[in-house]
């Protein structure tokens, strides 16, 4: 299995599927989100969308029918972890029209959602109104490349129409009585609970009715490491089409399986075409001594080949699962999402409360989703709280701000001491040096970073002096915005800034400023700042940097510089031999990139050195920590 995971993980990088998350839409039936219904959120997504959109559904019961049409791919439907989020409706009689949830689009992920059809609730055979138990699917899955994690599918007859395409179900619960996993999907169910409620119909039930049409059809259902339970007796399946294929592998079966296990039902006489098999299953219901004679007896090697073949044919869907919380642990999982809403519509109203709620020495990633707004608070993520994702909305970023200055240790608005951290779409701001406050411009960091392995995407850091203390550890910044005037990126971090906007506000201080003050202490230290494919803009004049320590190292590569850079480019500061510093510009452009009058001690890097500094894998990510972070 480990080798299989390695193959899938490698395929992920070769498939070229979009893994960019463009935005998160919050749905709250109580009115605290962007929309009050799931369908409204889906309708708001543009057709032929090519970037992933997450719909975060706050806990509650959403009584509605939901359809994701073919032209709306790349949707993530997520409920709150450890909270009940249910989409349910009561309609029956037509497997095409009555499902509560219908998926026609490709590239889909669902997590922590219960899909339920209530039509057959409390029915046995006939209720007092004369209604008969009938087709009433909770979900119809007709798109390709769809994955479901920690989801529930609840109904009685035809609960889950696993219809067309490649699908992956992990740690899901499927409840029903009659053909409650049916149709012609090519699907793997792993570590799922399969629960028959056949006592509701007064007859033995059927778990599966698979619809493979011919021997070249790639479809089939594989149940691996699952658990089968029932409130009455049930059969594992019957063929919906003549070449039906269903495998139960390493699955525990309670004493509820009818001895014959399977029936040929509608296709009696075609048993030789059917592939129904059980391999290495356990439990009192797994006794195969009285199974139908035509059930296939597969060897371990044949089973392995079929499962591997199914996996290989599903490589794209499994890769998409890796995009968002891999069930196979090739990427770390996110254990839960905490919603912070200053208006009271979330789990907490302050970011500090959310951080305090995370247990010390947490080893599972926890996402804190910060609903849009301005959060006036000082934040510390202590050393013993790693694996945190701080996320806002891409279109409406959330602002964390505070006004404190004078002490670079105590005054930062945001202090990160923990390792393994991610931030997306957050503005970090220190307002102490705001315009016209009558105070002298002093040190007032927006953020201080001293944890290792931290990444920032679409974030902003705003202040005037000492804006971003890039202090210790390896850090990656992508498409970020850093604003300041005096040493506004400083410290001894080992960091790459890629496609970032570096904004000078020297008009606020009335003299020349300094972008960087890097503090490398010795020749063997791996630290330094690399700005790759960035844009330097704002007001000038400003120096690219000055040495905070003797071995200071800063590289600007392929960066566009507006006409605000001083002609000498770099400045002396502390006493010490300037030949020990590594200040360099490579392939930079723009009116500020003229190097004809630069200081004589600026370094000229070799092609190999440039490649080393500008490649994440060599400069900050030799162990692959960036790729191991959740997407």
């Amino acid at each position: 299995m480990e080798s299989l995971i390695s193959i899938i993980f490698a395929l992920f990088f070769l498939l070229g599927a979009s893994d960019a998350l463009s935005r998160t839409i919050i749905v709250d039936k109580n009115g605290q989100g962007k929309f009050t219904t799931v369908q409204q959120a889906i309708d708001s997504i543009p057709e032929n969308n090519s970037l992933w959109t997450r719909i975060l559904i706050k806990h509650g019961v959403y009584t509605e029918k939901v359809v994701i049409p073919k032209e709306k791919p790349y949707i993530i439907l997520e409920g709150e972890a450890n909270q009940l989020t249910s989409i349910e409706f009561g309609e029956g009689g037509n497997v095409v029209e009555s499902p509560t949830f219908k998926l026609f689009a490709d590239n889909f992920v669902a997590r922590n959602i219960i899909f339920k059809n209530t039509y057959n609730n409390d029915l046995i055979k006939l209720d007092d109104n004369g209604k008969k138990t009938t087709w009433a699917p909770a979900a119809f899955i007709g798109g390709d490349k769809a994955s479901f994690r920690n989801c529930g599918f609840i109904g009685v007859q035809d609960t889950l129409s696993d219809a067309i395409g490649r699908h992956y179900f992990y740690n899901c619960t499927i409840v029903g009585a009659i053909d409650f996993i049916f149709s012609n999907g090519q699907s793997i169910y792993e570590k799922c609970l399969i629960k028959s409620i056949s006592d509701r119909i007064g007859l033995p039930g059927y778990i599966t009715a698979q619809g493979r049409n011919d021997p070249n059809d790639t479809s089939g259902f594989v149940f691996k490491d699952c658990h089968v339970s029932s409130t009455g007796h049930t059969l594992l399946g019957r063929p919906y089409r003549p070449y039906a294929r269903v495998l139960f592998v390493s699955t525990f079966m309670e004493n509820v399986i009818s001895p014959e296990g399977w029936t040929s039902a509608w296709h009696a006489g075609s048993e030789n075409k059917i592939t129904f098999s059980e391999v290495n299953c356990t439990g009192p219901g797994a006794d195969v001594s009285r199974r139908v004679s035509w059930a296939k007896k597969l060897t371990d090697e044949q089973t392995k080949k079929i499962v591997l073949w199914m996996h290989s044919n599903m490589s794209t869907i499994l890769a998409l699962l890796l995009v968002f919380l891999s069930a196979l642990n090739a990427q770390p999982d996110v254990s839960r999402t905490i919603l912070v809403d200053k208006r009271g519509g979330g789990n907490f109203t302050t970011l500090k409360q959310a951080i305090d709620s995370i247990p010390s020495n947490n080893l599972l990633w926890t996402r804190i989703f910060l609903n849009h707004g301005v959060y006036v608070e000082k934040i510390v993520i202590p050393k013993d709280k790693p694996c945190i994702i701080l996320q806002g909305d891409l279109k409406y970023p959330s602002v964390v701000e505070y006004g404190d200055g004078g002490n670079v240790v105590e005054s930062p608005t945001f202090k990160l001491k923990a390792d393994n951290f991610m931030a997306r779409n957050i503005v970090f701001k220190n307002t102490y040096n705001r315009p016209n406050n009558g105070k002298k411009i002093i040190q007032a960091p927006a953020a201080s970073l001293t944890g290792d392995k931290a990444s920032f995407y679409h974030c902003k850091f705003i202040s005037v002096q000492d804006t971003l203390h890039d202090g210790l550890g390896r850090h990656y910044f992508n498409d970020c915005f850093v604003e300041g005037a005096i040493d506004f990126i400083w410290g001894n971090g080992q960091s790459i800034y890629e496609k970032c906007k570096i904004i000078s506000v020297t008009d606020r201080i009335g003299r020349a400023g300094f972008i960087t003050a890097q503090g490398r202490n010795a020749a063997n230290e791996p630290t330094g700042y690399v700005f790759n494919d960035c844009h330097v803009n704002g007001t000038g004049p400003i120096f690219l940097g000055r040495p905070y320590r003797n071995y200071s190292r800063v590289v600007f590569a392929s960066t566009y510089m507006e006409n605000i850079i001083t002609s000498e480019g770099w400045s002396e500061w502390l006493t010490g031999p300037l030949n020990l510093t590594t200040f360099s510009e490579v392939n930079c452009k723009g009116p500020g990139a003229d190097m004809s009058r630069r200081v004589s001690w600026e370094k000229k890097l070799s092609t190999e050195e440039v490649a080393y500094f500008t490649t994440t894998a060599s400069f900050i990510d030799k162990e692959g920590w960036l790729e191991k972070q959740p997407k």
Side-chain angles (χ1 to χ4, degrees), residues 526-601:
T527 61
Y529 300 155
V530 176
F531 298 86
N532 187 29
D533 196 17
C534 293
H535 189 156
V536 180
N537 200 357
T539 59
I542 194 162
F543 291 88
L544 295 172
R546 57 179 176 175
Y548 183 45
R549 295 288 186 266
N550 287 344
Y551 290 85
S552 182
R553 181 161 62 182
V554 179
V555 177
F556 282 85
S558 303
T559 287
Y560 189 91
M561 300 178 184
E562 301 287 356
N563 192 26
I564 61 172
I565 310 300
T566 61
S567 58
E568 58 269 43
W570 309 90
S571 174
E572 301 180 23
W573 186 16
L574 302 179
T575 58
L578 292 171
N579 65 313
L580 299 179
T581 63
T582 302
F583 287 164
S584 187
E585 301 162 72
V586 183
N587 298 327
C588 293
K589 297 179 181 180
D594 180 1
M595 297 181 62
S596 62
R597 297 172 59 192
R598 289 295 196 252
V599 294
S600 61
W601 39 271

Side-chain angles (χ1 to χ4, degrees), residues 590-610:
D594 180 1
M595 297 181 62
S596 62
R597 297 172 59 192
R598 289 295 196 252
V599 294
S600 61
W601 39 271
E602 178 170 1
K603 292 289 191 299
K604 291 180 172 57
L605 302 179
S606 67
T607 302
E608 292 76 15
E609 287 173 317
V610 173

Side-chain angles (χ1 to χ4, degrees), residues 474 494 612 616-625:
R474 292 164 292 175
Q494 182 178 343
Y612 169 78
T616 55
S618 58
F619 185 53
I620 63 170
D621 192 26
K622 291 179 181 177
E623 65 194 64
W625 62 268

Side-chain angles (χ1 to χ4, degrees), residues 367-584:
R367 175 183 292 108
I368 300 175
F369 188 89
L370 199 60
N371 209 349
H372 67 90
V374 178
Y375 294 79
V376 182
E377 48 181 313
K378 289 177 72 172
I379 296 299
V380 178
I381 299 183
K383 184 69 176 176
D384 62 352
K385 295 202 175 183
C387 300
I388 288 177
I389 302 168
L390 185 59
Q391 183 169 344
D393 189 277
L394 180 60
K395 189 174 181 181
Y396 304 103
S398 295
V399 180
V400 180
E401 70 175 37
Y402 203 79
D404 191 1
N407 185 312
V408 292
V409 175
E410 299 300 328
S411 59
T413 300
F414 175 77
K415 290 197 286 189
L416 173 67
K417 299 180 180 181
D419 298 342
N420 299 306
F421 174 82
M422 293 180 67
R424 292 178 178 271
N425 316 323
I426 304 292
V427 178
F428 303 97
K429 188 174 184 180
N430 193 319
T431 61
Y432 182 85
N433 289 316
R434 64 187 182 276
N436 305 317
N437 69 351
K439 299 177 183 177
K440 180 183 177 182
I441 299 294
I442 59 175
Q443 301 156 326
S448 173
L449 313 177
T450 55
D452 189 31
K453 294 180 286 189
S455 61
F456 298 83
Y457 301 86
H458 321 299
C459 290
K460 292 185 177 182
F461 304 86
I462 299 174
S463 185
V464 180
Q465 184 168 349
D466 293 3
T467 302
L468 175 54
H469 178 216
D470 189 347
L472 297 171
R474 292 164 292 175
H475 311 141
Y476 177 72
F477 302 83
N478 183 279
D479 193 24
C480 290
F481 175 108
V482 189
E483 178 182 289
I486 305 172
D487 305 330
F488 63 95
I489 302 174
W490 66 285
N492 196 23
Q494 182 178 343
S495 303
I496 290 180
Y497 295 77
E498 200 156 37
K499 299 183 185 301
C500 293
K501 292 180 175 63
I502 311 301
I503 306 300
S504 167
V505 289
T506 54
D507 58 322
R508 301 274 294 278
I509 61 173
R511 57 186 172 85
F514 309 89
I515 294 174
T516 65
Q518 206 279 332
R520 185 165 168 252
N521 289 290
N524 60 356
E525 276 194 321
T527 61
Y529 300 155
V530 176
F531 298 86
N532 187 29
D533 196 17
C534 293
H535 189 156
V536 180
N537 200 357
T539 59
I542 194 162
F543 291 88
L544 295 172
R546 57 179 176 175
Y548 183 45
R549 295 288 186 266
N550 287 344
Y551 290 85
S552 182
R553 181 161 62 182
V554 179
V555 177
F556 282 85
S558 303
T559 287
Y560 189 91
M561 300 178 184
E562 301 287 356
N563 192 26
I564 61 172
I565 310 300
T566 61
S567 58
E568 58 269 43
W570 309 90
S571 174
E572 301 180 23
W573 186 16
L574 302 179
T575 58
L578 292 171
N579 65 313
L580 299 179
T581 63
T582 302
F583 287 164
S584 187

